[in-house]
Amino acid sequence: MTDKKAAVLREEVRARYAEAARAVLDHQPAMSAECCGTASGCCGTDAQAVAETDLFGGALYREGETDGLPAEAVLASLGCGNPLAVADLREGERVLDLGSGGGIDVLLSARRVGPSGFAYGVDMTDDMLELARANAARVGAVNVEFRKGEIEDLPLPDAAVDVVISNCVINLSVDKHAVLAEMFRVLVPDGRIGISDVVAEDHLTPADRAAAGSYVGCIAGALSRGEYLDGLAAAGFTQASVTFTHQAAPGMQSAIIRAVKPAVR
């Protein structure tokens, strides 16, 4: 991918998620053409209808899991899974959410790790950061911080967190190998990842993925299962797995990705 094309795609993603954030902040209908994790997209639906679909968003969280969170955090959930269901967060851990959006997974992580732990969110969209910070203030969360940055160049030091989570964001990156390397860098030894993402079945070529859906719709830019596993291994991760959970589009699956950063021996 050329630098020019990467810049164009990154701006398209930024604009699409800024629009989604503004729709929630301003209580206006969402006007984007596609949403992550849906087979048919969400054109013409408002934020409430989007959140109530059974393929992505707030409906993917367990019953009662989002109780007490601001409605704005749930409505702004544009993911394709529930990374907290597989991250196995523990008291006192430090968690990083890549592409934290309206903050739902950061706020839920902060609950799980308790006052002795901490949850970071990184997002490149000013409107999403504004929404996430407002949501954190509404619930009085003090063990959270939202930082502006790109997931290919994370604004955290080496070995800063115990767990990295992400919800349908890595497929949107224009440099996924950089994202995987950055996850490895910011994790402590024995740290782990628990990620939800859209992943292509191995038989689909990049051209097939481009024909199946747009980049901002989480389809064209998705890695295949084999590409994900190879990328995690190249970054240094071990115990990697990609488990399909439900179909997002023909040949495209919402998936759970797990891996571990080896301990220093």
Side-chain angles (χ1 to χ4, degrees):
M1 184 183 298
T2 66
D3 290 345
K4 182 177 180 180
K5 183 176 180 181
V8 169
L9 287 174
R10 184 180 287 112
E11 187 52 39
E12 286 180 359
V13 171
R14 191 194 311 272
R16 180 261 181 273
Y17 286 91
E19 178 187 48
R22 295 310 316 176
V24 175
L25 286 165
D26 299 336
H27 306 287
Q28 296 295 320
M31 296 183 292
S32 66
E34 295 179 87
C35 291
C36 290
T38 63
S40 59
C42 60
C43 185
T45 61
D46 62 21
Q48 181 66 43
V50 166
E52 289 175 351
T53 64
D54 62 358
L55 289 178
F56 83 109
L60 290 171
Y61 295 87
R62 295 166 176 167
E63 183 177 356
E65 195 168 18
T66 61
D67 288 355
L69 292 188
E72 291 84 354
V74 180
L75 291 175
S77 174
L78 300 175
C80 56
N82 180 356
L84 276 73
V86 298
D88 189 27
L89 301 182
R90 301 160 197 150
E91 187 84 16
E93 289 188 316
R94 298 160 296 168
V95 186
L96 168 64
D97 181 21
L98 305 187
S100 47
I104 185 171
D105 291 324
V106 173
L107 297 177
L108 291 173
S109 295
R111 281 184 183 175
R112 293 275 189 93
V113 301
S116 61
F118 204 87
Y120 296 96
V122 170
D123 204 280
M124 68 176 181
T125 308
D126 289 327
D127 295 288
M128 278 297 186
L129 290 167
E130 177 187 347
L131 177 59
R133 289 165 180 156
N135 287 332
R138 286 189 183 97
V139 297
V142 296
N143 60 335
V144 304
E145 182 182 348
F146 294 96
R147 297 186 179 185
K148 184 174 182 179
E150 296 176 352
I151 61 175
E152 299 88 354
D153 185 16
L154 292 169
L156 278 84
D158 296 354
V161 296
D162 303 290
V163 187
V164 175
I165 64 173
S166 185
N167 199 345
C168 203
V169 171
I170 294 175
N171 69 81
L172 296 167
S173 169
V174 296
D175 188 348
K176 297 170 182 64
H177 292 294
V179 177
L180 301 180
E182 279 292 273
M183 287 195 299
F184 191 88
R185 179 184 67 80
V186 300
L187 280 169
V188 298
D190 275 333
R192 63 195 185 279
I193 64 172
I195 290 167
S196 295
D197 208 2
V198 173
V199 178
E201 295 172 8
D202 283 334
H203 65 87
L204 289 187
T205 67
D208 293 332
R209 296 169 225 171
S214 73
Y215 205 96
V216 296
C218 305
I219 300 298
L223 294 172
S224 70
R225 183 177 183 274
E227 289 168 345
Y228 232 124
L229 292 171
D230 289 346
L232 289 166
F237 286 100
T238 60
Q239 302 178 47
S241 64
V242 176
T243 304
F244 293 158
T245 59
H246 59 272
Q247 182 174 272
M252 308 293 297
Q253 302 285 337
S254 290
I256 293 166
I257 297 95
R258 299 181 177 93
V260 175
K261 180 175 179 175
V264 177
R265 300 299 183 189

